[in-house]
Amino acid sequence: MAKPAPSASKNLCNSPTLAETPLTELKGVGASMSAKLAALHLHSIQDVLFHLPLRYEDRSRVYPIAGLLPGQRGYICGEVELAPQVKFGKRRSMVLRIADGSGAVTLRFFHFSAAQKAALSVGARLACFGELRRGPGGNEMVHPEYKVLGAQQSVETSDKLTPIYPAGDGVQQRTLRRLVDQSFTLLVKQPERLADYLRGVPAAGVQLPGLVESLQLVHNPPVTVSVAELLERRHPCQRRLAFEELLAHTLSLQQLRVATRRQPAAALQNGKVLFDQLLAQLGFPLTGAQNRVISELYDDLASGQPTLRLVQGDVGSGKTVVAAAALLAAVASGEQAAMMAPTELLAEQHYLNFCQWLEPLGIRIGWVAGRVKGKQRREMLQELSSGDLQIAIGTHALFQADIEFKSLALVVIDEQHRFGVDQRLALRDKGLAANRMPHQITMTATPIPRTLAMSAYADLDVSVIDELPPGRTPVTTVAISEERRADVTTRVRKACEQGRQAYWVCPLIEDSEALQCQAAETTAAQLTEELSGLRVALIHGRMKAVEKQTIMAAFKNRESDLLVATTVIEVGVDVPNASLMIIENAERLGLSQLHQLRGRVGRGQAESSCVLMYKSPLGRMAKSRLSILRETNDGFRIANRDLELRGPGEVLGTRQTGLVTMRVADLLRDAGLLPEVREVAENLALNQPELAERLVDRWLGSRARYGEV
Ligand code: ADP
Ligand code: MG
């Protein structure tokens, strides 16, 4: 791997670099404009050059009306089918409808004139450019640009793409365009004022295009460039910039990692003696994968440097026991440990579980949740700060300011994908009292493909529990139309009559928790009637935490047969006797979420199954999505497909990818670049740290940096 040319880091001319040149040097930028630009994180000329278009407006083609998707902008062309009418809704508007044989669309104008209305009579041909949206009565375009076409006239397309920039209050596209143009004038005159940090770095086996050329291409795409290539950001110049952006992000995460590791941390002895006592009590041997991950954790914890490790393991792979092993290392060393879960339900389940496992070993465990109040809370706080409680289990309430530990040495975070990087980092304050960084272990069932994990979690080491405990029969999955609901209830009855238990999940249909809970209530009432003789229980997110826990505990004790639930049971719930999972409206859920839900069964010895109920007819895409779940129980394969279908932001949550929103790069599309990005990053950090610093500045600049969260 060639190093970037060292000269790239030097400024060869005497003029300041464009990174040092304030925007006030451009025409038309005074104090007030410069304040507005600062709000867009634009301070220097370099900032303007790296203020990359969000998207391009494509006027190169005319879409059939049915071919344009809601949210998409484009040209359409059609005949007026319904003449303009004035509507008096919340706001007076004029609406008309045009059609082109493929479909029809409503055009809506809030500002209009009588002359305009007159020109838009039935049969007139219009060319419109605008964004398609879902309206109250079908798709519509609000205030499209339009032109009435003569009989023989065709739409005037342009073969150039117009860049659209992220704009802001008082900073319009036109202004940005002008600033970009002026900045280029400066740059072309003195290209040495903008360092090309990647000069001489080959990526994906090819020489990357130069920086100036690349910037010019994205800001002013020439007519010769393929529109599709540009829109999909596959042009070599875009790849060049994406490479640099990924590099900057990777460097920033590495800086965070280095800064974290520089802090002192407690060197914990391993917890083997205690853990062996726990194992004797559990009565099952660990899987090879569990053993391997535990010894990786023990090595980390003993090192005296803060552990930052992500433990990935599919649902049911046995992460809780691994967490226990880690907690015991802290206890064995006379230190405190905490375990945090994303919901109170899950946290309490861990709490009860750990009490059962660890109290026989003489270990004292505390429960930290928002609703612990009054005297109970004062006592808990006192026992945490005196060190009487060796382990604390709770929700994010563990972060609260009044929670003080005597010596917090380790934090385990379960189901990490529910937490953001910032929260994870906020934890360090809790251990800093003792002037040490607590070790951090995060556990997730969301399998992240390796290349992605290396970037999104560049500040973490990764361990994988890639083996399920033996004796599990894989969950058989079927997809059934809602029309066959009666078959499904019969199946529930059979399973319960055989002494098994079942879940019935009613996921979000409306975008409202209240409505979701209502739907679950209705379903529960209905099922109680249909399944007379069975004990039907209900659990949903709007219930009080205590109530939820009582219901969960009763289900676990086999005091109910069927548990109707919202997606509150998505993570972590563990009832081995439950062997049947029904999921309504399965077509509306993400694959990984369905896999998580399905993971609530198949935890015991019994043959388990999952029924995905859908509303027919099912589209082709939806069909193929559901069939993936039928084909495989492998969370990694499912996550990969989910990533392909929905992208990393959706799957991991934008915050959970750990990455600030990117400008040209896309973790999934550019995954192929990541190994090289990583290599170059390591090289730079080692050999040219000041250059690395400038690169991070260029791309992350005044935005939140990872290290500062
Ligand atoms: P997850 O990785 O989804 O958090 P859990 O830790 O909840 O999985 O474990 C699922 C179930 O498997 C629990 O009932 C747990 O006691 C059991 N289990 C864990 N490890 C083993 C093992 N090595 N052999 C048998 N059962 C195990
Ligand atoms: Mg778990």
Side-chain angles (χ1 to χ4, degrees):
M1 174 66 54
K3 279 191 221 161
S7 63
S9 65
K10 295 211 181 73
N11 180 16
L12 297 177
C13 63
N14 295 322
S15 323
T17 65
L18 295 183
E20 297 158 347
T21 311
L23 287 174
T24 41
E25 305 233 331
L26 297 178
K27 268 186 272 168
V29 182
S32 101
M33 179 50 77
S34 103
K36 288 174 191 159
L37 292 168
L40 288 172
H41 301 287
L42 301 177
H43 306 278
S44 68
I45 294 191
Q46 170 175 277
D47 292 339
V48 165
L49 290 166
F50 282 84
H51 193 61
L52 304 180
L54 268 182
R55 56 187 173 82
Y56 295 91
E57 212 141 80
D58 177 11
R59 294 175 187 247
S60 67
R61 56 177 285 206
V62 178
Y63 286 86
I65 290 176
L68 200 62
L69 301 170
Q72 200 181 3
R73 293 173 69 84
Y75 255 131
I76 52 174
C77 182
E79 269 180 26
V80 176
E81 183 182 73
L82 262 183
Q85 287 177 311
V86 177
K87 299 256 169 166
F88 299 89
K90 253 185 246 149
R91 248 176 105 188
R92 200 171 74 107
S93 63
M94 173 178 85
V95 297
L96 63 144
R97 200 164 73 208
I98 64 166
D100 70 352
S102 80
V105 63
T106 300
L107 308 183
R108 187 182 293 275
F109 298 85
F110 293 106
H111 310 283
F112 52 91
S113 65
Q116 202 180 2
K117 192 174 168 217
L120 297 171
S121 53
V122 170
R125 273 179 70 232
L126 301 186
C128 303
F129 186 87
E131 183 183 327
L132 195 73
R133 297 193 203 154
R134 278 190 222 288
N139 287 340
E140 53 178 57
M141 264 190 193
V142 177
H143 268 286
E145 288 170 37
Y146 74 92
K147 194 174 165 187
V148 180
L149 298 175
Q152 300 304 315
Q153 205 178 355
S154 59
V155 184
E156 254 175 64
T157 52
S158 145
D159 33 9
K160 231 176 147 160
L161 292 176
T162 318
I164 305 294
Y165 295 100
D169 257 353
V171 186
Q172 284 160 5
Q173 293 298 329
R174 244 180 318 130
T175 313
L176 289 166
R177 177 83 263 154
R178 201 162 37 82
L179 297 181
V180 168
D181 286 346
Q182 286 188 51
S183 302
F184 268 115
T185 310
L186 273 178
L187 176 62
V188 171
K189 247 187 252 158
Q190 294 178 306
E192 68 282 359
R193 290 176 69 185
L194 187 73
D196 186 345
Y197 299 121
L198 295 186
R199 206 183 305 159
V201 176
V206 294
Q207 197 67 37
L208 293 166
L211 179 61
V212 178
E213 181 194 341
S214 299
L215 288 173
Q216 240 154 0
L217 182 117
V218 299
H219 286 290
N220 292 309
V223 289
T224 46
V225 168
S226 139
V227 169
E229 194 176 33
L230 204 59
L231 292 179
E232 288 163 27
R233 299 189 182 165
R234 284 185 291 106
H235 191 282
C237 287
Q238 290 169 305
R239 304 259 299 164
R240 150 77 177 74
L241 293 170
F243 190 96
E244 187 174 324
E245 183 172 33
L246 288 170
L247 184 58
H249 281 264
T250 306
L251 284 167
S252 183
L253 279 166
Q254 278 174 359
Q255 286 169 358
L256 165 65
R257 180 193 167 95
V258 168
T260 309
R261 300 222 173 197
R262 236 185 248 134
Q263 321 252 356
L268 301 180
Q269 47 180 298
N270 73 45
K272 279 207 181 80
V273 175
L274 283 169
F275 188 54
D276 283 344
Q277 291 176 41
L278 169 62
L279 279 183
Q281 186 198 140
L282 286 179
F284 54 70
L286 294 184
T287 63
Q290 283 171 318
N291 271 321
R292 175 172 43 76
V293 172
I294 289 171
S295 68
E296 281 167 2
L297 292 176
Y298 281 166
D299 284 350
D300 281 1
L301 296 173
S303 72
Q305 281 192 339
T307 303
L308 289 172
R309 191 173 283 273
L310 179 73
V311 175
Q312 271 176 236
D314 208 345
V315 285
S317 60
K319 292 185 290 294
T320 319
V321 187
V322 172
L327 297 176
L328 289 176
V331 175
S333 312
E335 305 277 349
Q336 288 172 301
M339 176 142 169
M340 181 162 66
T343 64
E344 220 163 269
L345 188 67
L346 186 51
E348 172 130 50
Q349 195 173 264
H350 281 318
Y351 173 67
L352 297 173
N353 203 15
F354 283 127
C355 284
Q356 198 188 333
W357 285 358
L358 304 180
E359 279 181 352
L361 312 185
I363 296 168
R364 292 206 51 221
I365 305 175
W367 166 238
V368 184
R371 77 188 149 85
V372 181
K373 297 259 150 67
K375 178 159 172 278
Q376 208 189 342
R377 183 175 187 92
R378 278 195 303 277
E379 273 174 23
M380 181 263 291
L381 290 178
Q382 197 278 323
E383 288 184 310
L384 275 179
S385 61
S386 68
D388 288 349
L389 292 174
Q390 290 140 300
I391 294 176
I393 312 273
T395 57
H396 50 266
L398 283 163
F399 288 130
Q400 278 163 0
D402 63 341
I403 308 276
E404 267 173 40
F405 291 86
K406 177 165 182 247
S407 58
L408 180 64
L410 163 69
V411 178
V412 178
I413 303 170
D414 195 23
E415 303 299 351
Q416 189 268 346
H417 65 293
R418 293 298 180 89
F419 283 95
V421 171
D422 44 354
Q423 269 174 312
R424 206 176 68 217
L425 292 172
L427 256 181
R428 69 177 146 198
D429 300 343
K430 291 290 171 212
L432 284 182
N435 213 7
R436 295 175 323 195
M437 186 72 160
H439 298 282
Q440 292 169 46
I441 298 170
T442 55
M443 311 203 134
T444 179
T446 307
I448 301 142
R450 180 135 189 89
T451 45
L452 201 57
M454 288 193 328
S455 272
Y457 296 97
D459 61 327
L460 301 180
D461 295 313
V462 180
S463 292
V464 185
I465 311 181
D466 49 7
E467 192 181 340
L468 291 181
R472 298 266 165 87
T473 37
V475 180
T476 313
T477 302
V478 292
I480 290 183
S481 157
E482 209 180 48
E483 287 152 20
R484 291 174 51 204
R485 194 166 183 278
D487 295 353
V488 178
T489 45
T490 308
R491 214 166 154 158
V492 171
R493 178 181 290 283
K494 269 201 194 126
C496 294
E497 282 172 357
Q498 286 165 8
R500 311 252 152 255
Q501 290 164 285
Y503 297 99
W504 189 296
V505 181
C506 317
L508 206 64
I509 305 167
E510 306 290 337
D511 204 8
S512 133
E513 205 200 355
L515 286 176
Q516 188 191 18
C517 298
Q518 217 174 56
E521 269 165 22
T522 314
T523 307
Q526 202 179 341
L527 286 169
T528 308
E529 207 164 287
E530 288 166 9
L531 294 167
S532 58
L534 294 190
R535 296 161 301 171
V536 180
L538 169 68
I539 186 167
H540 62 63
R542 294 205 129 193
M543 290 175 165
K544 290 220 171 66
V546 198
E547 210 178 335
K548 281 191 276 191
Q549 277 129 27
T550 315
I551 291 163
M552 229 27 249
F555 187 61
K556 207 165 178 160
N557 283 333
R558 302 199 188 183
E559 288 160 28
S560 51
D561 303 300
L562 175 65
L563 184 61
V564 178
T566 54
T567 43
V568 292
I569 59 156
E570 183 187 340
V571 286
V573 167
D574 185 33
V575 180
N577 189 52
S579 66
L580 178 58
M581 162 73 60
I582 316 291
I583 305 172
E584 280 193 79
N585 297 304
E587 78 278 6
R588 297 181 187 241
L589 294 180
L591 290 180
S592 293
Q593 202 182 4
L594 286 169
H595 180 63
Q596 283 271 347
L597 281 169
R598 174 171 69 177
R600 300 307 109 219
V601 295
R603 301 190 149 234
Q605 301 299 320
E607 184 104 16
S608 294
S609 42
C610 173
V611 176
L612 305 173
M613 283 212 308
Y614 60 82
K615 269 210 176 62
S616 31
L618 204 55
R620 203 155 44 100
M621 173 76 162
K623 219 174 250 167
S624 84
R625 276 161 38 89
L626 292 186
S627 71
I628 295 158
L629 289 165
R630 286 211 315 263
E631 282 158 25
T632 181
N633 271 294
D634 179 343
F636 274 85
R637 275 192 58 196
I638 292 167
N640 268 318
R641 281 298 306 215
D642 214 16
L643 277 172
E644 278 168 34
L645 293 169
R646 297 193 301 151
E650 283 281 309
V651 176
L652 305 173
T654 327
R655 301 174 67 216
Q656 281 71 16
T657 57
L659 297 173
V660 184
T661 326
M662 292 197 269
R663 304 182 208 179
V664 275
D666 176 313
L667 273 182
L668 191 62
R669 185 195 53 223
D670 302 322
L673 296 176
L674 291 173
E676 261 165 308
V677 163
R678 222 173 139 82
E679 205 175 315
V680 174
E682 266 155 32
N683 204 328
L684 273 183
L686 206 63
N687 300 312
Q688 292 168 282
E690 65 309 324
L691 196 154
E693 190 53 42
R694 279 202 290 273
L695 224 153
V696 173
D697 249 3
R698 172 181 282 177
W699 288 92
L700 291 133
S702 60
R703 278 155 232 250
R705 290 238 205 142
Y706 301 108
E708 289 157 8
V709 179

